[in-house]
Amino acid sequence: MAEFDTVIRGRIVTPDGEREASVAISNGLIAGIFEADAALDARADLVLADDEVLLPGLVDTHVHADEPGRTEWEGFASATAAAAAGGVTTVIDMPLNSIPPTTTVAALRAKQAAARDQVRVDVGFWGGAVPDNLGTGELRALHDAGAFGFKCFLAETGVDEFRHLDQEQLEQAARELAAFDGLLLVHAEDAGHLHDHAGGGDYADYLSSRPDVAETAAVARVIDVARRTGLRAHIVHVSSAEVLPLLRAAKSDGVRITAETCPHYLTLAADEIDDGDTSFKCAPPIRERANQDALWAALADGTLDLVVSDHSPSTIELKTRGHDFGQAWGGIAGLQLGLPAVWTAARDRGVPLADVVRWMSANTAAFAGLADRGGIAPGIRADLVVFAPEAEFTVDAAALKHKNPITAYQGRALRGEVRTTWLRGEPIGDDHPAGELIARKDD
């Protein structure tokens, strides 16, 4: 009987960089890493092509699958197919835009029931903190039921069933979560600093309606609350470089805060957005190129911890409504394209692939408390990606696995082709969904 199930030989990407090695897999786990030419007894012995490298599967902690309730926007089947095609082996689903939102244990169970038997990669779930579930015991109940943490907004969400928190409610949520060391994820735009947008197709008008100060004011509020309560806080989708000094200072002071940014903020810029092209609409908005440079620097110095997709799709009709930035849905569909988009920009900047993998796999796994994945090392899951970093392709939205063929990356030339994605030591195929539903793990 063979000692290993599978051996994969070739270049692998570790936190220390690339090296030639043989990765041995048994029972869905990495059993060992050996020299590239090591004599190993395995049922299958695979050699990567010269243009390929082996990466750990990405962990995307910010995905809107929209099921149940809005499956015309996406759904678990299409979202996880897109994830697998993009090298993502674990996603954590946001509590909105599904109906019902994940703000009660009953809603979590409904979402798990909808996802079960459909998912091609592993899927976990965030809960939501909204005015209606504060002070009810529901946050603790969701935590105990396995929710990874709790998402809240400080401004209007865009959907009626998930309301934002005012200052008093933010304080209450922080106190409740700090009592059991729960994690609060914050959409940090301050409602008082957002300007009315009259509508229309002028992107500059839309950008000016959501100024940098809306983010800085909100982040300052979250830092203050976290400092006073001991809350673990996380700022989602940082778009404005002006929040970076606040985050650096807070981390230096020991405030328990982390932050993420997204591929669209790292690769797209305001000056390339045509008026009326609402495929680029998101909140907070895509800003100027100099701002983008600062986000890259903040990833390099650790001020920003993660890169995640914030995949927020909708129907084409809703996304292009009137080609009006006031009416169109605000969200970027990019789950399948995050890795090549970020790698293309990183490569142009001289940033090594190992850094991209760290921000999108190791750090995201650690953030979610998933110590069993996020790298290539003995004893952890064999969630792996065969990636060709120099292969080029042009984005065709119709060829993506997303349910609705519209994306801000349409027509862009990208580098990096995901050739095979492995889950627990087996290639992900189209024959049956092999993903599992996962829950937060206590330390």
Side-chain angles (χ1 to χ4, degrees):
M1 186 173 182
E3 182 179 2
F4 304 113
D5 296 330
T6 305
V7 170
I8 303 175
R9 301 177 190 269
R11 285 187 296 154
I12 68 171
V13 174
T14 73
D16 299 323
E18 296 183 18
R19 56 173 286 205
E20 294 283 339
S22 296
V23 178
I25 300 168
S26 289
N27 300 315
L29 302 177
I30 296 173
I33 300 176
F34 305 92
E35 294 301 316
D37 59 354
L40 302 171
D41 182 21
R43 289 191 293 110
D45 198 315
L46 309 177
V47 179
L48 300 182
D50 290 343
D51 67 338
E52 295 175 341
V53 295
L54 191 67
L55 313 180
L58 305 191
V59 177
D60 192 337
T61 57
H62 195 148
V63 174
H64 296 267
D66 302 333
E67 187 174 3
R70 289 193 173 99
T71 52
E72 71 276 14
W73 292 15
E74 192 64 275
F76 287 108
S78 56
T80 58
V88 177
T89 51
T90 303
V91 302
I92 305 186
D93 175 72
M94 281 291 168
L96 71 166
N97 303 303
S98 57
I99 302 174
T102 319
T103 56
T104 66
V105 172
L108 173 63
R109 298 305 182 214
K111 184 166 282 196
Q112 290 170 326
R116 190 170 289 112
D117 301 325
Q118 288 201 78
V119 294
R120 298 189 180 278
V121 302
D122 285 2
V123 176
F125 303 92
W126 298 110
V130 295
D132 291 346
N133 68 359
L134 300 182
T136 65
E138 201 68 63
L139 297 182
R140 181 58 191 259
L142 275 165
H143 177 83
D144 292 343
F148 280 80
F150 301 88
K151 172 79 172 291
C152 75
F153 283 67
L154 303 185
E156 292 293 334
T157 68
V159 292
D160 293 338
E161 65 275 0
F162 198 99
R163 294 164 51 213
H164 73 286
L165 304 182
D166 61 23
Q167 182 61 33
E168 181 178 346
Q169 292 160 344
L170 174 63
E171 297 264 356
Q172 183 176 357
R175 289 192 297 271
E176 285 193 46
L177 295 183
F180 56 84
D181 203 30
L183 173 65
L184 186 65
L185 285 68
V186 185
H187 178 123
E189 289 184 291
D190 188 279
H193 288 88
L194 299 178
H195 305 320
D196 290 336
H197 179 56
D202 190 318
Y203 184 75
D205 286 348
Y206 174 68
L207 179 58
S208 66
S209 74
R210 307 188 88 96
D212 297 89
V213 68
E215 285 192 66
T216 56
V219 170
R221 287 170 58 191
V222 175
I223 290 171
D224 175 63
V225 169
R227 190 189 304 275
R228 289 187 287 102
T229 65
L231 171 73
R232 286 194 298 138
H234 178 76
I235 306 299
V236 299
H237 50 48
V238 170
S239 87
S240 172
E242 293 191 13
V243 310
L244 301 175
L246 301 177
L247 292 170
R248 288 190 186 102
K251 288 185 170 190
S252 178
D253 290 345
V255 177
R256 303 171 75 197
I257 193 163
T258 52
E260 70 189 35
T261 193
C262 305
H264 41 281
Y265 300 128
L266 296 170
T267 64
L268 309 175
D271 60 8
E272 65 188 35
I273 299 176
D274 293 332
D275 289 345
D277 191 349
T278 52
S279 66
F280 288 86
K281 181 184 175 182
C282 56
I286 295 166
R287 302 189 188 276
E288 299 80 2
R289 198 166 299 280
N291 179 90
Q292 185 181 97
D293 293 340
L295 297 180
W296 278 98
L299 283 167
D301 70 19
T303 302
L304 295 175
D305 303 275
L306 319 172
V307 178
V308 294
S309 69
D310 188 13
H311 178 66
S312 184
S314 73
T315 62
I316 293 177
E317 292 75 18
L318 187 57
K319 188 62 183 164
T320 60
R321 182 180 288 172
H323 300 286
D324 184 322
F325 284 99
Q327 297 184 42
W329 175 254
I332 303 295
L335 178 56
Q336 186 172 334
L337 298 171
L339 174 57
V342 175
W343 165 237
T344 299
R347 180 183 179 278
D348 289 345
R349 292 171 178 269
V351 176
L353 183 56
D355 285 355
V356 173
V357 170
R358 176 161 47 84
W359 300 326
M360 303 183 77
S361 182
N363 288 7
T364 46
F367 168 65
L370 296 171
D372 61 346
R373 65 199 73 194
I376 299 178
I380 68 172
R381 289 165 48 108
D383 295 346
L384 302 165
V385 179
V386 178
F387 186 64
E390 296 304 315
E392 297 183 67
F393 68 99
T394 300
V395 176
D396 175 7
L400 301 177
K401 302 289 188 181
H402 306 157
K403 181 169 287 187
N404 289 281
I406 183 169
T407 177
Y409 299 100
Q410 174 66 20
R412 293 180 73 89
L414 299 179
R415 284 185 183 266
E417 178 184 31
V418 173
R419 293 189 172 160
T420 313
T421 302
W422 296 59
L423 187 70
R424 295 188 305 280
E426 297 289 340
I428 298 175
D430 295 328
D431 50 348
H432 68 280
E436 298 178 345
L437 304 187
I438 59 174
R440 178 192 50 79
K441 298 177 180 178
D442 291 318
D443 294 336

